[in-house]
Amino acid sequence: MNTLDQRTALEQAARERIKDSHTLDGDAGRLAHFYRGWASSYELDVGRDGYCGPMIVAELAGAVQTAYLARQRTAIAILDAGCGTGLVGVELERLGFRWIDGFDLSEEMAEQARQTRVYRHVQGNVDLNGPLSDYPSASYDITVCCGVFTLGHVRPDGLRELARVTRPNGFIIASTRKSYAETTSFEDEVRRLQDAGVLVLAQCLKDSRYVAEEDAHYWVFQVPEKANAPTEERP
Ligand SMILES: C[S@@+](CC[C@H](N)C(=O)[O-])C[C@H]1O[C@@H](n2cnc3c(N)ncnc32)[C@H](O)[C@@H]1O
């Protein structure tokens, strides 16, 4: 096999892995097991597939801070939800953010994120398909979530918990893979949460670059000054 064939084969294998990750039906046990096996080669695979979500999400956080938040970047508290190996944290640090927490369902992915040393605290075994019980309400200026509202991972109603942990006037920045946005009720959930006064859509970059084979939408939500307390029981 020549070098070009080898590269094509590796890219193909990376794409297959990414596709496999979409078949896990949001099942916490299956997702944790899958990412346990993928943690050490995740960055190589997504790099081969041209993954640029983390850079776009971090740049949006930078734009939001410059445009709307009075405090310096070093003093902005950020939560990276589903931080994986820490690709978003590394981009945030490059842009001057220093107060970054992260969590992930997979302890092995969380450990990789800890090793980047750009996070203040990273917690594993945290499931965004349920309540974020260890995270008090209104704690973060910006909550970012990249590559997590994607097929087979987190349901759209996870957005409600991201809004709860974000401070009034703070922001949530999330990507949705295009096929996820098209096949789930994410946009309905956004409307429900807007109607309930939980968040306001500030910007959406539709059909933006994400991975080689598919685009994503990037959403910027603001939590209103007097956000209605989310009271609904989650399934
Ligand atoms: C495609 S990776 C994205 C990781 C990182 N944000 C990035 O952009 O590289 C998806 C991540 O979501 C995590 N994940 C999947 N389901 C989750 C859940 N229910 N709660 C929290 N994290 C979850 C996985 O463990 C994995 O680290």
Side-chain angles (χ1 to χ4, degrees), residues 1-234:
M1 205 188 270
N2 67 32
T3 317
L4 190 62
D5 289 343
Q6 262 172 1
R7 206 172 60 211
T8 311
L10 286 169
E11 282 167 6
Q12 191 53 38
R15 248 167 237 175
E16 288 303 319
R17 272 268 240 197
I18 293 168
K19 247 206 244 156
D20 290 346
S21 78
H22 294 158
T23 63
L24 303 168
D25 296 327
D27 180 289
R30 290 177 68 199
L31 280 158
H33 180 262
F34 185 87
Y35 277 98
R36 185 179 309 138
W38 199 12
S40 60
S41 56
Y42 169 84
E43 290 192 4
L44 265 178
D45 279 352
V46 297
R48 283 191 180 110
D49 200 30
Y51 184 42
C52 58
M55 187 186 292
I56 295 175
V57 165
E59 302 266 3
L60 284 170
V64 154
Q65 180 273 329
T66 306
Y68 297 111
L69 301 177
R71 271 170 302 128
Q72 304 266 325
R73 286 194 180 175
T74 49
I76 298 291
I78 300 187
L79 177 64
D80 183 2
C83 61
T85 57
L87 290 174
V88 179
V90 168
E91 293 295 336
L92 288 168
E93 202 252 2
R94 180 180 62 81
L95 294 172
F97 292 101
R98 294 289 178 271
W99 183 341
I100 313 165
D101 288 344
F103 73 76
D104 201 276
L105 182 66
S106 157
E107 172 51 32
E108 289 73 14
M109 294 291 274
E111 179 51 26
Q112 299 273 336
R114 282 181 206 113
Q115 285 174 20
T116 64
R117 300 190 169 279
V118 302
Y119 292 88
R120 199 179 60 146
H121 180 71
V122 181
Q123 196 168 330
N125 301 310
V126 178
D127 186 356
L128 182 55
N129 279 321
L132 300 175
S133 352
D134 290 344
Y135 292 82
S137 300
S139 302
Y140 292 95
D141 300 300
I142 303 178
T143 301
V144 295
C145 191
C146 185
V148 179
F149 289 110
T150 194
L151 300 169
H153 284 47
V154 170
R155 293 188 303 270
D157 62 357
L159 195 51
R160 184 177 277 272
E161 274 298 89
L162 299 187
R164 182 184 64 74
V165 301
T166 307
R167 287 186 184 137
N169 292 325
F171 291 86
I172 303 157
I173 299 166
S175 69
T176 55
R177 192 179 253 266
K178 212 174 151 195
S179 48
Y180 175 91
E182 284 164 2
T183 57
T184 68
S185 56
F186 189 84
E187 297 199 21
D188 292 338
E189 183 66 16
V190 168
R191 272 189 287 275
R192 258 196 300 279
L193 293 177
Q194 286 211 107
D195 291 348
V198 172
L199 48 73
V200 174
L201 177 61
Q203 285 292 334
C204 183
L205 269 61
K206 288 242 169 172
D207 303 331
S208 308
R209 286 175 56 215
Y210 183 65
V211 285
E213 75 279 7
E214 195 177 354
D215 288 346
H217 307 326
Y218 295 87
W219 306 77
V220 180
F221 304 105
Q222 187 167 28
V223 173
E225 173 75 51
K226 286 203 172 125
N228 296 344
T231 50
E232 230 173 68
E233 282 295 310
R234 302 183 70 215

